[in-house]
Amino acid sequence: MILDASFLAELNASMDSLCERMNRFSQAKVLVVGDLTLDEFLTGQVERLSREAPVLILRHENTRQIPGGGANAVYNLAKLGASVQVAGFVGKDDQGIALCGIFEQAGIDIKGILIDPDRPTVTKTRISGHARQSVTQQIVRVDRKSDELPDIELQLKLAEYIRENIDTVDAVVCSDYGDGVLTQTVIEAALKSPITIVDTQKDLHRFAGATLFTPNLPEAEKAVGYSIQNSQTLQQAGRDLLTLTQAQAMLITRGEEGMSLFEGNQLLHIPAFNRTDVFDVTGAGDTVVAALTLGLCTGSSLWEASVLGNLAASLVVRQFGTATTTIEEMKEALRSLLNLE
């Protein structure tokens, strides 16, 4: 794709620095506090209609389980080479065991994952089917979750784990999907970190004082209470969000319009690096958070960190479902943008 010449010049001037940051991702230590989800993908071939009801009968072919929700942010950080600790809840169920097993295989420290016997592991099961020689399509999604908050003793125990470990990490990521982990007790503990990155779908003010927030456009509009339709309303929204959150910076992700970084009185635009090969944006926000957090942990400016987040996201949206990328893929994409291949 064609990028603005002035932006390309700035990107080219920063290439060595960006590559150096990526080379140091493995030195970063990050604690993720978040709503942990297991994404299940069950696939089968349609055999016939049931005699019992007007529904399809699938012959099961495979089931795939991958981290979703806040767990996707955890997994992205690990796949980019960071040392990762995770704090959150899973249920006393097979899904919780499966998610913890995936984390352990990726070398993730799960001592901060507490068992909640009263609530299930948040699980989203997507059932897809296909006929012979046809594409696979999703038929239904089954969600398992509880709307109840965790027991207060579990909240306090999780907050205590965060306080005990916060000095051992370079940054804390709060990944809030609204599933009950990030209560005010837990948030207060997480905000003790010098670098706190917040990715939340609502009520940004609960995390007041965090370093950086990463709302997408609908989340930003919901937070400020008005539509962001042009440069004037975008700039106003940035100012209002910084006032609301008392944050050092605000990064609004805007899909094909790229990203807008607000830092003090400064506004910087980062164009989308991939507008054409977009197959699935699921989990792309988690990837942005992972890469930019590692950028900040390794000394990047906020602009450089945002570029790294944008670069990583441009790769995972080329894949279906929640996905991860690697440092080598990011470097290759950067060289491609600069026509250095």
Side-chain angles (χ1 to χ4, degrees), residues 11 17 39 43 60 64 70 75-76 96 102 107 119 179-180 248 324:
L11 190 62
S17 176
D39 280 344
T43 305
H60 178 263
R64 186 165 59 103
Y75 205 55
N76 269 270
I102 293 169
R119 304 190 314 150
D179 294 324
Q248 180 180 337
T324 61

Side-chain angles (χ1 to χ4, degrees), residues 30-174:
V30 183
L31 169 62
V32 180
V33 184
D35 294 305
L36 307 178
T37 297
L38 181 69
D39 280 344
E40 289 186 329
F41 297 86
L42 189 154
T43 305
Q45 180 172 319
V46 178
E47 289 197 325
R48 57 186 171 85
L49 286 175
S50 171
R51 297 189 184 95
E52 302 168 357
V55 296
L56 299 174
I57 293 178
L58 301 184
R59 180 181 290 274
H60 178 263
E61 293 177 335
N62 61 74
T63 297
R64 186 165 59 103
Q65 296 177 315
I66 59 175
N72 185 41
V74 175
Y75 205 55
N76 269 270
L77 283 160
K79 289 299 184 180
L80 287 171
S83 296
V84 189
Q85 295 172 244
V86 55
F89 302 118
V90 295
K92 193 175 182 179
D93 49 32
D94 291 341
Q95 290 74 31
I97 293 171
L99 186 55
C100 289
I102 293 169
F103 282 165
E104 287 185 307
Q105 287 183 354
I108 296 163
D109 185 338
I110 64 169
K111 288 191 288 291
I113 297 181
L114 306 182
I115 304 296
D116 185 342
D118 299 322
R119 304 190 314 150
T121 302
V122 178
T123 306
K124 298 177 181 179
T125 303
R126 297 163 177 85
I127 300 175
S128 301
H130 65 93
R132 293 181 64 187
Q133 299 180 334
S134 72
V135 297
T136 300
Q137 300 183 61
Q138 185 171 318
I139 298 169
V140 67
R141 192 179 95 179
V142 180
D143 287 2
R144 280 168 276 192
K145 61 180 291 186
S146 171
D147 293 329
E148 300 296 323
L149 288 176
D151 183 85
I152 187 63
E153 289 187 8
L154 279 174
Q155 295 180 38
L156 292 171
K157 190 173 180 180
L158 190 67
E160 182 62 23
Y161 172 84
I162 295 166
R163 285 191 292 268
E164 289 176 351
N165 287 271
I166 205 162
D167 291 335
T168 68
V169 298
D170 303 310
V172 171
V173 171
C174 295

Side-chain angles (χ1 to χ4, degrees), residues 303-323:
W303 181 85
E304 287 178 327
S306 301
V307 167
L308 290 170
N310 195 16
L311 192 64
S314 73
L315 293 166
V316 299
V317 297
R318 301 169 191 259
Q319 305 173 56
F320 288 103
T322 48

